[in-house]
Amino acid sequence: MAKEYVVAILGATGAVGHRMVAQLAASSIPVKEVKLLASARSAGQQMEFRGQTLTVEETTPDSFNGVDLVLSSAGGSTSKKYLPEAVKRGAICVDNTSAYRMDPEVPLVVPEVNADQLKHHHGIVANPNCSTIQMVVALEPIRKAFGLKQIIVSTYQAASGAGQMALNEFYQQAKDHLAGKPMEANILPTKGDKKHYPLAFNLLPQIDVFEDDGYTHEEWKMIHETKKIMKNDMDDADLKVTATCVRVPVPIGHGESVYFQVEDESATVADLRKVLETAPGVVVEDDPAHQVYPQPLKAEGTGDTYVGRLRPDAENKGAFNMWVVADNLLKGAALNAVQNAEELIRQGLL
Ligand code: A2P
């Protein structure tokens, strides 16, 4: 008989955690038992899993006794505190936070791109940043076919990427502004920083905190995670990557304007489109004559990565522009985590 797994979802009450519960329920993973873990604040809350009503528990190290698989999305410090406890107790963790992504012992995996790295895990597998995931899903098939020299990306990232509280704050700002009241900002652009600004009717060119070089940490993550996933080296010098990350007043679904240069300068848009049309997890939505292109509202609730507006840079051979959209809470987080777990099982690693 196939093995059945005891699964803990750490951060089950959050924007991503909720979706991890739903994606696990919809997955092929044989589940014996699910433990829903969060902070003391939400202990006692009830949630559904495959027709059962489950009660959320406060997380303690002993919550992981007997657990085979942990899916976690409760913030970096919570992962640092509890994942070693889970690993000590024999569990394998797929972590959606940035806590372990750059640890050389931890594979950083998007199954469509580098599932072969999973076998190197020591108990923890990291899920990349939401904006990185959708970009590499779209670019890896191109890299494989034509080589890739450079990526210049500008992101248009949804409010939900900053968590459920940030999303609630954004909705409240929109309501207040339309009612003629002042907008209050206590979370965005980023929880840990000194100043806060409204996102409603605005654009915030800051996601996460600033580094000394003037880039934000989100931009740093996109650069180094992309290199680690595609080239297996976070500081790879052959693939040049630069990023500008912007929070936009959209609830769910990140957009990205991706400019890239391939090695094979004979590649045409038709060649790229052909590759993308058969790429796993990619849906090409690109028909300017009929105004067909990816949009967050259409991507919301789906697991695919949508690519459109594919066009050559007329002044640079081998360079192209495209527009990439995905549901940041699903392919950008919960779905990718569950796909990693499914892949661990498929490879006999769990
Ligand atoms: P809680 O709802 O009890 O605060 P989001 O990313 O949407 O902000 O969600 C964060 C998730 O992480 C929530 O489920 C939240 O639980 C959980 N969380 C935050 N801090 C802790 C903690 N110290 N221990 C366990 N879970 C935590």
Side-chain angles (χ1 to χ4, degrees):
M1 216 175 89
K3 183 172 175 187
E4 290 192 318
Y5 301 90
V6 178
V7 185
I9 300 192
L10 175 57
T13 52
V16 172
H18 252 111
R19 285 160 178 86
M20 282 174 159
V21 178
Q23 292 298 316
L24 179 67
S27 78
S28 63
I29 297 175
V31 176
K32 185 152 88 189
E33 186 193 332
V34 178
K35 294 178 102 167
L36 303 179
L37 306 176
S39 78
R41 287 181 293 274
S42 43
Q45 255 185 49
Q46 298 203 314
M47 290 170 71
E48 295 290 312
F49 179 81
R50 289 183 180 165
Q52 277 174 277
T53 303
L54 302 175
T55 304
V56 176
E57 297 166 40
E58 178 182 356
T59 314
T60 69
D62 286 338
S63 306
F64 302 98
N65 288 340
V67 168
D68 302 299
L69 169 69
V70 180
L71 302 175
S72 62
S73 193
S77 55
T78 307
S79 285
K80 285 264 183 200
K81 183 169 169 193
Y82 290 115
L83 298 196
E85 297 291 343
V87 173
K88 225 191 288 175
R89 289 165 172 78
I92 294 179
C93 309
V94 181
D95 183 31
N96 190 53
T97 76
S98 61
Y100 294 97
R101 286 182 193 150
M102 287 303 145
D103 185 328
E105 300 280 287
V106 174
L108 181 65
V109 180
V110 179
E112 294 89 333
V113 179
N114 62 340
D116 58 315
Q117 291 300 311
L118 287 171
K119 60 179 176 289
H120 302 301
H121 83 79
H122 298 274
I124 300 176
V125 169
N127 229 22
N129 186 265
C130 42
S131 45
T132 309
I133 292 178
Q134 66 185 67
M135 185 172 79
V136 299
V137 166
L139 278 178
E140 176 65 5
I142 293 171
R143 190 186 74 84
K144 265 204 205 135
F146 308 106
L148 196 57
K149 289 204 281 201
Q150 186 171 20
I151 305 167
I152 301 173
V153 57
S154 296
T155 70
Y156 300 65
Q157 296 182 226
S160 57
Q164 189 61 47
M165 302 290 278
L167 184 58
N168 296 348
E169 174 177 277
F170 161 63
Y171 284 136
Q172 192 59 47
Q173 289 165 352
K175 278 189 209 152
D176 286 345
H177 190 68
L178 292 174
K181 295 193 223 156
M183 293 190 277
E184 244 190 71
N186 299 304
I187 299 172
L188 291 166
T190 193
K191 223 186 268 170
D193 219 338
K194 295 175 285 298
K195 288 189 182 173
H196 301 288
Y197 304 111
L199 177 65
F201 307 98
N202 201 10
L203 297 170
L204 298 173
Q206 179 193 352
I207 301 185
D208 212 328
V209 293
F210 280 97
E211 306 283 346
D212 291 340
D213 61 5
Y215 281 77
T216 61
H217 192 56
E218 183 84 352
E219 290 158 354
W220 184 95
K221 283 185 266 186
M222 281 201 85
I223 294 164
H224 296 283
E225 290 183 17
T226 299
K227 289 170 189 255
K228 180 167 173 176
I229 296 163
M230 286 184 150
K231 305 295 290 268
N232 208 16
D233 173 2
M234 66 174 276
D235 292 312
D236 179 89
D238 296 330
L239 174 60
K240 293 184 189 158
V241 186
T242 190
T244 300
C245 294
V246 181
R247 189 76 70 193
V248 300
V250 166
I252 293 173
H254 290 351
E256 295 177 348
S257 165
V258 185
Y259 178 88
F260 58 97
Q261 181 123 35
V262 297
E263 279 164 15
D264 177 357
E265 292 190 349
S266 72
T268 64
V269 162
D271 295 333
L272 299 187
R273 191 190 307 270
K274 214 163 152 191
V275 163
L276 287 169
E277 274 169 354
T278 55
V282 174
V283 174
V284 177
E285 277 190 340
D286 193 17
D287 184 2
H290 296 95
Q291 289 175 278
V292 173
Y293 37 74
Q295 298 169 41
L297 266 184
K298 291 199 296 176
E300 184 179 335
T302 75
D304 288 314
T305 295
Y306 299 88
V307 180
R309 302 293 325 279
L310 196 54
R311 60 213 192 275
D313 174 354
E315 297 186 280
N316 269 312
K317 249 190 153 346
F320 301 86
N321 280 293
M322 66 181 177
W323 173 244
V324 181
V325 174
D327 183 321
N328 55 298
L329 300 174
L330 293 182
K331 185 56 192 167
L335 174 62
N336 197 73
V338 170
Q339 287 173 330
N340 271 330
E342 285 178 318
E343 194 56 41
L344 283 165
I345 293 171
R346 199 171 301 132
Q347 294 185 29
L349 298 166
L350 183 65

